[in-house]
Amino acid sequence: MSEISLSFDSATVIRIDDISVNLEEARLEKFLKQIRQKYPSVKVLLAVSPAVFDMPSRDDGQGKIAERVFPSILNAHSDHKVFYLIEKIGIPHWLARITSSYNCLLASHGLIHVDHRLLPVGAQEMSIITSLSLVNSKIFVPPFNKYNADTELVCKNQSIDLIKWEDGWNHLGYQPFSDDGRNYYVHLHDYPGEKLFEII
């Protein structure tokens, strides 16, 4: 694995979660270009989900469904194993170019987008280490911002930076963006079409 690490200093960080093979490359690139033009000093962290559902086949024509990594109805289920029923796996072929062109850091969002608190420590270890190896990073962003002592132990033992919501992350759906040293995160599928380019 690389020695990529995210240092939290006075710079504002924008984290984009659910980067996957379902994401539209051109839309992400346009958003990154906008960030770089308006706020060149902002750090950008891309949290990659390697194993996803085939959401473009479920697209509603608005793009909001297509870019998700799992159907939203899964949140209603009481059994977390429904998240295991993935249909596609891979790293976007354009990710290296995007990362280099827009000076982004990479993180893993877990092998499968599931609440890691519900997994035994061995399964967490497999998910975290395998996904970080695929992404070539040492930064882990837990799905749903959920982690526990086992997650912390795995990350500590492997010298992995664990991104914790409690460390001051603001969701762009609830807190408007300001280049003031705070950290923000966003899912592009929450903003279909041109709405995405109005939030920054």
Side-chain angles (χ1 to χ4, degrees), residues 22 94 115 126 133 196:
N22 288 343
W94 40 260
D115 183 341
M126 182 275 299
S133 179
L196 175 64

Side-chain angles (χ1 to χ4, degrees), residues 74 77-84 113-115 118-120:
L74 297 192
H77 288 255
S78 59
D79 185 353
H80 67 279
K81 292 189 289 297
V82 295
F83 288 90
Y84 297 173
H113 200 297
V114 64
D115 183 341
L118 305 175
L119 305 179

Side-chain angles (χ1 to χ4, degrees), residues 11-14 35-36 39-44 102-103 177 179:
T12 297
V13 178
I14 297 176
I35 293 170
R36 284 286 165 251
Y39 305 102
S41 65
V42 162
K43 292 185 178 181
V44 177
Y102 296 95
N103 193 25
F177 177 77
D179 185 12

Side-chain angles (χ1 to χ4, degrees), residues 51-106:
V52 299
F53 286 77
D54 184 14
M55 297 307 295
S57 70
R58 299 172 171 88
D59 188 22
D60 62 353
Q62 304 297 315
K64 185 171 182 176
I65 293 175
E67 291 186 326
R68 292 184 57 87
V69 296
F70 63 87
S72 58
I73 188 62
L74 297 192
N75 287 317
H77 288 255
S78 59
D79 185 353
H80 67 279
K81 292 189 289 297
V82 295
F83 288 90
Y84 297 173
L85 303 174
I86 54 110
E87 298 157 337
K88 293 167 37 175
I89 192 162
I91 304 297
H93 65 86
W94 40 260
L95 188 60
R97 182 190 66 78
I98 289 276
T99 303
S100 174
S101 298
Y102 296 95
N103 193 25
C104 302
L105 293 171
L106 286 177

Side-chain angles (χ1 to χ4, degrees), residues 6 8 13 22 27 30 32 63 68 73 75 82 84 94 101 114 129 134 142 154 156-157 171-172 182 185-186 188:
L6 183 64
F8 292 97
V13 178
N22 288 343
R27 223 165 84 84
K30 183 177 176 181
L32 292 173
R68 292 184 57 87
I73 188 62
N75 287 317
V82 295
Y84 297 173
W94 40 260
S101 298
V114 64
I129 294 173
L134 288 168
V154 169
K156 180 181 178 183
N157 289 345
H171 192 294
L172 281 173
R182 291 186 294 170
Y185 71 102
V186 65
L188 299 194

Side-chain angles (χ1 to χ4, degrees), residues 158-179:
Q158 298 294 321
S159 300
I160 294 164
D161 289 328
L162 173 61
I163 303 300
K164 299 178 180 179
W165 183 84
E166 293 83 359
D167 287 338
W169 289 93
N170 300 283
H171 192 294
L172 281 173
Y174 303 100
Q175 292 98 6
F177 177 77
S178 176
D179 185 12

